[in-house]
Amino acid sequence: MSVAITLTVNGVRLSREVDPRLLLSQLLRDELGLTGTHIGCDTSQCGACTVHLDGASVKSCAVLAVQADGTDVLTIEGITGQDGALHPMQAAFREHHGLQCGFCTPGMVMGAIELARTAPDLEEATIRDGLEGHLCRCTGYQNIVKAVRAGAQAMREG
């Protein structure tokens, strides 16, 4: 049995017939080839699979593809500019060394973008609280916090 869904992914409207048990992360990675959405745990603990669903950060391994029917999904691949320029948050992660191996980075960036849009106060404690549920085993978070603060500032100025 399959279910027809229609959604917009990175600005492109598409329709698919999907198994009702298919996760959004599987749809993005396996069927659409958007492999920037990483799978780290499959239990919504690590945040590597974070995408925006109608503007809100969600862990795509905890969302069924059928639940995304009629929504707008934005992945890490969809945040770059038309000219290929990095999003200000991506540029800040690069500039402030907010990554090492890079596995958690796409989900971390997507979570940080929402945090920058919704939190009026981006002090260190706010950033750390806002990134709870995004695990990084490499950096120790200090440079991630610096990157989020700088990226948020660049987003406000841009």
Side-chain angles (χ1 to χ4, degrees):
M1 176 174 133
S2 62
V3 176
I5 63 169
T6 300
L7 65 162
T8 302
V9 179
N10 298 334
V12 177
R13 190 163 173 82
L14 55 93
S15 295
R16 290 282 192 279
E17 293 279 333
V18 299
D19 183 306
R21 299 167 296 176
L22 184 73
L23 296 172
L24 179 58
S25 57
Q26 294 169 317
L27 174 70
L28 295 171
R29 288 183 58 81
D30 301 338
E31 296 195 16
L32 302 180
L34 298 171
T35 57
T37 301
H38 292 165
I39 307 299
C41 67
D42 262 339
T43 60
S44 75
Q45 300 296 310
C46 73
C49 67
T50 300
V51 299
H52 291 176
L53 188 67
D54 287 337
S57 291
V58 299
K59 294 176 182 176
S60 62
C61 75
V63 176
L64 294 170
V66 295
Q67 292 174 296
D69 185 32
T71 65
D72 184 21
V73 178
L74 182 65
T75 71
I76 193 74
E77 291 92 346
I79 67 171
T80 56
Q82 295 271 358
D83 60 355
L86 295 177
H87 183 280
M89 192 62 73
Q90 289 174 302
F93 266 69
R94 182 179 65 189
E95 181 181 338
H96 294 276
H97 309 287
L99 60 109
Q100 283 184 17
C101 82
F103 190 82
C104 70
T105 305
M108 194 79 71
V109 167
M110 296 304 287
I113 290 170
E114 183 189 21
L115 179 62
R117 286 186 185 147
T118 60
D121 164 31
L122 280 183
E123 295 301 317
E124 181 173 343
T126 304
I127 294 169
R128 288 181 182 276
D129 286 346
L131 293 178
E132 186 175 338
H134 291 273
L135 301 179
C136 176
R137 292 183 170 95
C138 300
T139 66
Y141 295 93
Q142 191 59 35
N143 287 343
I144 291 172
V145 171
K146 290 178 186 176
V148 172
R149 184 177 287 136
Q153 180 67 33
M155 286 171 63
R156 281 193 294 274
E157 292 171 358

PDB file of all heavy atoms in Angstrom, residues 25-47:
ATOM      1  N   SER A  25      13.307  11.654   6.593  1.00  0.00           N
ATOM      2  CA  SER A  25      14.756  11.571   6.343  1.00  0.00           C
ATOM      3  C   SER A  25      15.062  10.583   5.221  1.00  0.00           C
ATOM      4  O   SER A  25      15.944  10.833   4.382  1.00  0.00           O
ATOM      5  CB  SER A  25      15.514  11.168   7.614  1.00  0.00           C
ATOM      6  OG  SER A  25      15.038   9.938   8.117  1.00  0.00           O
ATOM      7  N   GLN A  26      14.344   9.484   5.170  1.00  0.00           N
ATOM      8  CA  GLN A  26      14.552   8.497   4.105  1.00  0.00           C
ATOM      9  C   GLN A  26      14.092   9.044   2.749  1.00  0.00           C
ATOM     10  O   GLN A  26      14.753   8.823   1.737  1.00  0.00           O
ATOM     11  CB  GLN A  26      13.796   7.203   4.425  1.00  0.00           C
ATOM     12  CG  GLN A  26      14.333   6.480   5.640  1.00  0.00           C
ATOM     13  CD  GLN A  26      13.408   5.362   6.101  1.00  0.00           C
ATOM     14  OE1 GLN A  26      12.193   5.530   6.152  1.00  0.00           O
ATOM     15  NE2 GLN A  26      14.003   4.220   6.435  1.00  0.00           N
ATOM     16  N   LEU A  27      12.977   9.744   2.742  1.00  0.00           N
ATOM     17  CA  LEU A  27      12.506  10.360   1.501  1.00  0.00           C
ATOM     18  C   LEU A  27      13.554  11.334   0.980  1.00  0.00           C
ATOM     19  O   LEU A  27      13.914  11.301  -0.206  1.00  0.00           O
ATOM     20  CB  LEU A  27      11.176  11.086   1.732  1.00  0.00           C
ATOM     21  CG  LEU A  27      10.659  11.896   0.543  1.00  0.00           C
ATOM     22  CD1 LEU A  27      10.191  10.978  -0.582  1.00  0.00           C
ATOM     23  CD2 LEU A  27       9.529  12.827   0.973  1.00  0.00           C
ATOM     24  N   LEU A  28      14.041  12.190   1.857  1.00  0.00           N
ATOM     25  CA  LEU A  28      15.014  13.201   1.437  1.00  0.00           C
ATOM     26  C   LEU A  28      16.302  12.563   0.928  1.00  0.00           C
ATOM     27  O   LEU A  28      16.792  12.921  -0.146  1.00  0.00           O
ATOM     28  CB  LEU A  28      15.319  14.156   2.595  1.00  0.00           C
ATOM     29  CG  LEU A  28      14.146  15.012   3.068  1.00  0.00           C
ATOM     30  CD1 LEU A  28      14.515  15.746   4.340  1.00  0.00           C
ATOM     31  CD2 LEU A  28      13.696  15.977   1.981  1.00  0.00           C
ATOM     32  N   ARG A  29      16.840  11.637   1.674  1.00  0.00           N
ATOM     33  CA  ARG A  29      18.133  11.043   1.331  1.00  0.00           C
ATOM     34  C   ARG A  29      18.027  10.012   0.206  1.00  0.00           C
ATOM     35  O   ARG A  29      18.739  10.096  -0.783  1.00  0.00           O
ATOM     36  CB  ARG A  29      18.754  10.376   2.555  1.00  0.00           C
ATOM     37  CG  ARG A  29      19.266  11.345   3.597  1.00  0.00           C
ATOM     38  CD  ARG A  29      19.924  10.618   4.749  1.00  0.00           C
ATOM     39  NE  ARG A  29      21.026   9.771   4.310  1.00  0.00           N
ATOM     40  CZ  ARG A  29      22.248  10.218   4.053  1.00  0.00           C
ATOM     41  NH1 ARG A  29      22.532  11.487   4.178  1.00  0.00           N
ATOM     42  NH2 ARG A  29      23.197   9.371   3.677  1.00  0.00           N
ATOM     43  N   ASP A  30      17.144   9.035   0.399  1.00  0.00           N
ATOM     44  CA  ASP A  30      17.121   7.873  -0.491  1.00  0.00           C
ATOM     45  C   ASP A  30      16.353   8.103  -1.780  1.00  0.00           C
ATOM     46  O   ASP A  30      16.726   7.570  -2.819  1.00  0.00           O
ATOM     47  CB  ASP A  30      16.532   6.667   0.240  1.00  0.00           C
ATOM     48  CG  ASP A  30      17.311   6.306   1.493  1.00  0.00           C
ATOM     49  OD1 ASP A  30      18.492   6.681   1.595  1.00  0.00           O
ATOM     50  OD2 ASP A  30      16.723   5.652   2.376  1.00  0.00           O
ATOM     51  N   GLU A  31      15.293   8.893  -1.716  1.00  0.00           N
ATOM     52  CA  GLU A  31      14.481   9.081  -2.912  1.00  0.00           C
ATOM     53  C   GLU A  31      14.777  10.382  -3.646  1.00  0.00           C
ATOM     54  O   GLU A  31      14.629  10.455  -4.852  1.00  0.00           O
ATOM     55  CB  GLU A  31      12.996   8.984  -2.560  1.00  0.00           C
ATOM     56  CG  GLU A  31      12.636   7.588  -2.055  1.00  0.00           C
ATOM     57  CD  GLU A  31      11.150   7.318  -2.032  1.00  0.00           C
ATOM     58  OE1 GLU A  31      10.386   8.063  -2.671  1.00  0.00           O
ATOM     59  OE2 GLU A  31      10.772   6.346  -1.358  1.00  0.00           O
ATOM     60  N   LEU A  32      15.202  11.412  -2.891  1.00  0.00           N
ATOM     61  CA  LEU A  32      15.465  12.698  -3.525  1.00  0.00           C
ATOM     62  C   LEU A  32      16.956  13.003  -3.653  1.00  0.00           C
ATOM     63  O   LEU A  32      17.325  13.996  -4.269  1.00  0.00           O
ATOM     64  CB  LEU A  32      14.753  13.819  -2.762  1.00  0.00           C
ATOM     65  CG  LEU A  32      13.229  13.671  -2.641  1.00  0.00           C
ATOM     66  CD1 LEU A  32      12.642  14.835  -1.864  1.00  0.00           C
ATOM     67  CD2 LEU A  32      12.594  13.555  -4.017  1.00  0.00           C
ATOM     68  N   GLY A  33      17.804  12.173  -3.047  1.00  0.00           N
ATOM     69  CA  GLY A  33      19.245  12.358  -3.167  1.00  0.00           C
ATOM     70  C   GLY A  33      19.800  13.546  -2.398  1.00  0.00           C
ATOM     71  O   GLY A  33      20.911  14.004  -2.668  1.00  0.00           O
ATOM     72  N   LEU A  34      19.056  14.040  -1.410  1.00  0.00           N
ATOM     73  CA  LEU A  34      19.501  15.177  -0.605  1.00  0.00           C
ATOM     74  C   LEU A  34      20.238  14.644   0.625  1.00  0.00           C
ATOM     75  O   LEU A  34      19.701  14.586   1.727  1.00  0.00           O
ATOM     76  CB  LEU A  34      18.304  16.053  -0.226  1.00  0.00           C
ATOM     77  CG  LEU A  34      17.577  16.661  -1.423  1.00  0.00           C
ATOM     78  CD1 LEU A  34      16.285  17.334  -0.988  1.00  0.00           C
ATOM     79  CD2 LEU A  34      18.483  17.633  -2.166  1.00  0.00           C
ATOM     80  N   THR A  35      21.465  14.254   0.414  1.00  0.00           N
ATOM     81  CA  THR A  35      22.230  13.547   1.447  1.00  0.00           C
ATOM     82  C   THR A  35      22.874  14.465   2.480  1.00  0.00           C
ATOM     83  O   THR A  35      23.560  13.982   3.381  1.00  0.00           O
ATOM     84  CB  THR A  35      23.297  12.655   0.796  1.00  0.00           C
ATOM     85  OG1 THR A  35      24.141  13.468  -0.020  1.00  0.00           O
ATOM     86  CG2 THR A  35      22.648  11.554  -0.035  1.00  0.00           C
ATOM     87  N   GLY A  36      22.640  15.758   2.382  1.00  0.00           N
ATOM     88  CA  GLY A  36      23.116  16.657   3.427  1.00  0.00           C
ATOM     89  C   GLY A  36      22.368  16.451   4.732  1.00  0.00           C
ATOM     90  O   GLY A  36      22.854  16.807   5.798  1.00  0.00           O
ATOM     91  N   THR A  37      21.180  15.878   4.654  1.00  0.00           N
ATOM     92  CA  THR A  37      20.420  15.509   5.842  1.00  0.00           C
ATOM     93  C   THR A  37      21.013  14.195   6.337  1.00  0.00           C
ATOM     94  O   THR A  37      20.796  13.149   5.737  1.00  0.00           O
ATOM     95  CB  THR A  37      18.925  15.352   5.502  1.00  0.00           C
ATOM     96  OG1 THR A  37      18.446  16.591   4.977  1.00  0.00           O
ATOM     97  CG2 THR A  37      18.124  14.974   6.726  1.00  0.00           C
ATOM     98  N   HIS A  38      21.781  14.271   7.412  1.00  0.00           N
ATOM     99  CA  HIS A  38      22.501  13.093   7.901  1.00  0.00           C
ATOM    100  C   HIS A  38      21.661  12.283   8.873  1.00  0.00           C
ATOM    101  O   HIS A  38      20.815  12.831   9.577  1.00  0.00           O
ATOM    102  CB  HIS A  38      23.801  13.507   8.581  1.00  0.00           C
ATOM    103  CG  HIS A  38      24.794  14.075   7.623  1.00  0.00           C
ATOM    104  ND1 HIS A  38      25.896  14.770   8.034  1.00  0.00           N
ATOM    105  CD2 HIS A  38      24.855  14.058   6.269  1.00  0.00           C
ATOM    106  CE1 HIS A  38      26.588  15.158   6.983  1.00  0.00           C
ATOM    107  NE2 HIS A  38      25.967  14.738   5.892  1.00  0.00           N
ATOM    108  N   ILE A  39      21.910  10.998   8.913  1.00  0.00           N
ATOM    109  CA  ILE A  39      21.257  10.088   9.853  1.00  0.00           C
ATOM    110  C   ILE A  39      22.309   9.636  10.850  1.00  0.00           C
ATOM    111  O   ILE A  39      23.254   8.945  10.494  1.00  0.00           O
ATOM    112  CB  ILE A  39      20.667   8.846   9.133  1.00  0.00           C
ATOM    113  CG1 ILE A  39      19.763   9.269   7.975  1.00  0.00           C
ATOM    114  CG2 ILE A  39      19.936   7.954  10.123  1.00  0.00           C
ATOM    115  CD1 ILE A  39      18.579  10.106   8.367  1.00  0.00           C
ATOM    116  N   GLY A  40      22.128  10.046  12.088  1.00  0.00           N
ATOM    117  CA  GLY A  40      23.111   9.700  13.100  1.00  0.00           C
ATOM    118  C   GLY A  40      22.612   8.682  14.093  1.00  0.00           C
ATOM    119  O   GLY A  40      23.380   7.880  14.611  1.00  0.00           O
ATOM    120  N   CYS A  41      21.322   8.702  14.380  1.00  0.00           N
ATOM    121  CA  CYS A  41      20.837   7.841  15.459  1.00  0.00           C
ATOM    122  C   CYS A  41      19.510   7.156  15.142  1.00  0.00           C
ATOM    123  O   CYS A  41      19.208   6.134  15.728  1.00  0.00           O
ATOM    124  CB  CYS A  41      20.690   8.658  16.739  1.00  0.00           C
ATOM    125  SG  CYS A  41      19.382   9.918  16.653  1.00  0.00           S
ATOM    126  N   ASP A  42      18.702   7.729  14.268  1.00  0.00           N
ATOM    127  CA  ASP A  42      17.353   7.211  13.959  1.00  0.00           C
ATOM    128  C   ASP A  42      16.422   7.207  15.161  1.00  0.00           C
ATOM    129  O   ASP A  42      15.412   6.522  15.162  1.00  0.00           O
ATOM    130  CB  ASP A  42      17.410   5.807  13.358  1.00  0.00           C
ATOM    131  CG  ASP A  42      17.311   5.820  11.838  1.00  0.00           C
ATOM    132  OD1 ASP A  42      16.819   6.817  11.277  1.00  0.00           O
ATOM    133  OD2 ASP A  42      17.716   4.824  11.228  1.00  0.00           O
ATOM    134  N   THR A  43      16.756   7.941  16.206  1.00  0.00           N
ATOM    135  CA  THR A  43      15.896   8.006  17.389  1.00  0.00           C
ATOM    136  C   THR A  43      15.636   9.442  17.827  1.00  0.00           C
ATOM    137  O   THR A  43      15.195   9.672  18.941  1.00  0.00           O
ATOM    138  CB  THR A  43      16.529   7.231  18.573  1.00  0.00           C
ATOM    139  OG1 THR A  43      17.799   7.824  18.872  1.00  0.00           O
ATOM    140  CG2 THR A  43      16.690   5.765  18.254  1.00  0.00           C
ATOM    141  N   SER A  44      15.929  10.399  16.993  1.00  0.00           N
ATOM    142  CA  SER A  44      15.765  11.846  17.229  1.00  0.00           C
ATOM    143  C   SER A  44      16.568  12.358  18.420  1.00  0.00           C
ATOM    144  O   SER A  44      16.190  13.338  19.054  1.00  0.00           O
ATOM    145  CB  SER A  44      14.288  12.231  17.341  1.00  0.00           C
ATOM    146  OG  SER A  44      13.723  11.854  18.563  1.00  0.00           O
ATOM    147  N   GLN A  45      17.691  11.736  18.695  1.00  0.00           N
ATOM    148  CA  GLN A  45      18.531  12.162  19.806  1.00  0.00           C
ATOM    149  C   GLN A  45      19.666  13.103  19.394  1.00  0.00           C
ATOM    150  O   GLN A  45      20.082  13.939  20.176  1.00  0.00           O
ATOM    151  CB  GLN A  45      19.146  10.941  20.500  1.00  0.00           C
ATOM    152  CG  GLN A  45      18.145   9.976  21.062  1.00  0.00           C
ATOM    153  CD  GLN A  45      17.310  10.590  22.170  1.00  0.00           C
ATOM    154  OE1 GLN A  45      17.846  11.172  23.101  1.00  0.00           O
ATOM    155  NE2 GLN A  45      16.012  10.485  22.052  1.00  0.00           N
ATOM    156  N   CYS A  46      20.176  12.955  18.162  1.00  0.00           N
ATOM    157  CA  CYS A  46      21.418  13.652  17.815  1.00  0.00           C
ATOM    158  C   CYS A  46      21.239  14.944  17.039  1.00  0.00           C
ATOM    159  O   CYS A  46      22.124  15.796  17.049  1.00  0.00           O
ATOM    160  CB  CYS A  46      22.347  12.713  17.046  1.00  0.00           C
ATOM    161  SG  CYS A  46      21.831  12.378  15.347  1.00  0.00           S
ATOM    162  N   GLY A  47      20.143  15.119  16.322  1.00  0.00           N
ATOM    163  CA  GLY A  47      19.895  16.346  15.576  1.00  0.00           C
ATOM    164  C   GLY A  47      20.548  16.436  14.212  1.00  0.00           C
ATOM    165  O   GLY A  47      20.377  17.429  13.509  1.00  0.00           O
TER     166      GLY A  47
END
